[in-house]
Amino acid sequence: TGVIAAGRGGGVARTWGMLRSKTTLVAAAAAIALAWGACVWGFGVPAFVAFVAVALAALLVPIAVRVTGETDVTPSGPLGKLAQLVAGIVAPGAPAVGVAAAGISAGAATAAGELMTDLRLGRDLGAEPRTQAVRQAAGLLLGIACVVPVYLWGLVPDPAALGGADVPVPAAQVWRAVAALLAGGLAVLPAGAAEAFLVAVTAATVATWAGVRMPRIGRWIPSFVGVGLGCVLPPMTSMGFAVGGLAVAAVRSARWRRGLGAAAAGALAGEGVASVLFGFLGHLA
């Protein structure tokens, strides 16, 4: 938070005073204890591994905050995989334990980076760091009260549904694959996966280099981030991305392009709300 609110008008001094307050220190200690306890009793992680996860969070949070401040992008993926690697070394052969421990540290780092964006915007708009911190804490409690029941009773009443057609969770699929790889080594990979990995890396490297060195053809080279995302998303979702992209490309008017973006955002939000509603209705039925 000291990095977040530092800036014009004595922001460093005000924020440092806030950080040194007893309330902040007590809240931080309580949050650390709760995270450790949730890791141990909620996910069955050994006490020492949970301690390593919390300590790793203290190292990853400054990295996430700094990278977000310099690039405006929170490195959630790399930090998550780094946390998984450390958890896999501390708890070898236990992928579920590794994922739970890594989720504590990587989740804290990701949240810190995202909060930095929010608090920086609030500072630019003239909001005080203390006021923002209080409101963020209130939002956290409200979010827990809303998200946990929705997840358990509406979206995922049965954990076996995760990864299926109804709840594809593409990001979690990547975490699961990395956990399996750390637990079982290269032997757990499907036949041809290693060769496909080398082909994909080579193609992405060559395409990225060609796009930078030859701008005329660069606009026709697909984004390999999108290609990789299409490999973990259900086909119907990937087709929706493709249709939306082609629709935007076919529109020449900048005004209509902006309208399409707003319509797409509304459709995504509406789909999310409808999914939660249908999940609740299905569970009640």
Side-chain angles (χ1 to χ4, degrees):
T1 308
V3 178
I4 296 166
R8 300 181 296 272
V12 176
R14 290 198 307 272
T15 307
W16 177 243
M18 183 183 71
L19 289 174
R20 291 190 303 171
S21 68
K22 292 182 179 180
T23 303
T24 302
L25 294 177
V26 170
I32 292 173
L34 287 173
W36 182 85
C39 208
V40 173
W41 291 294
F43 297 97
V45 176
F48 174 73
V49 179
F51 172 79
V52 172
V54 174
L56 182 61
L59 298 176
L60 294 182
V61 164
I63 296 174
V65 170
R66 184 176 184 85
V67 173
T68 304
E70 293 181 349
T71 67
D72 199 31
V73 176
T74 303
S76 305
L79 291 179
K81 303 307 172 288
L82 176 60
Q84 271 193 284
L85 176 61
V86 174
I89 294 174
V90 177
V97 170
V99 169
I104 294 292
S105 51
T110 302
E114 298 297 337
L115 284 176
M116 178 179 181
T117 303
D118 298 338
L119 295 176
R120 174 61 184 270
L121 177 60
R123 188 206 68 178
D124 291 345
L125 293 175
E128 286 293 325
R130 184 184 297 275
T131 303
Q132 294 183 77
V134 171
R135 292 180 179 179
Q136 290 284 4
L140 172 65
L141 297 176
L142 179 61
I144 293 174
C146 295
V147 170
V148 173
V150 167
Y151 178 85
L152 293 178
W153 302 329
L155 289 178
V156 190
D158 182 9
L162 292 173
D166 294 332
V167 192
V169 289
Q173 297 281 21
V174 178
W175 278 70
R176 182 172 68 177
V178 173
L181 183 62
L182 292 175
L186 296 177
V188 303
L189 293 176
E195 293 78 4
F197 171 76
L198 293 176
V199 171
V201 169
T202 302
T205 302
V206 172
T208 302
W209 176 86
V212 173
R213 302 294 296 181
M214 294 176 282
R216 289 186 177 181
I217 66 172
R219 61 192 300 264
W220 301 104
I221 297 177
S223 168
F224 274 80
V225 175
V227 173
L229 189 61
C231 293
V232 297
L233 288 173
M236 186 62 67
T237 304
S238 299
M239 288 297 296
F241 286 170
V243 171
L246 292 174
V248 173
V251 175
R252 299 299 180 185
S253 170
R255 180 180 178 182
W256 279 97
R257 280 176 176 266
R258 290 193 296 270
L260 284 174
L268 289 173
E271 181 187 16
V273 173
S275 298
V276 173
L277 178 60
F278 291 153
F280 267 117
L281 293 177
H283 181 65
L284 294 176

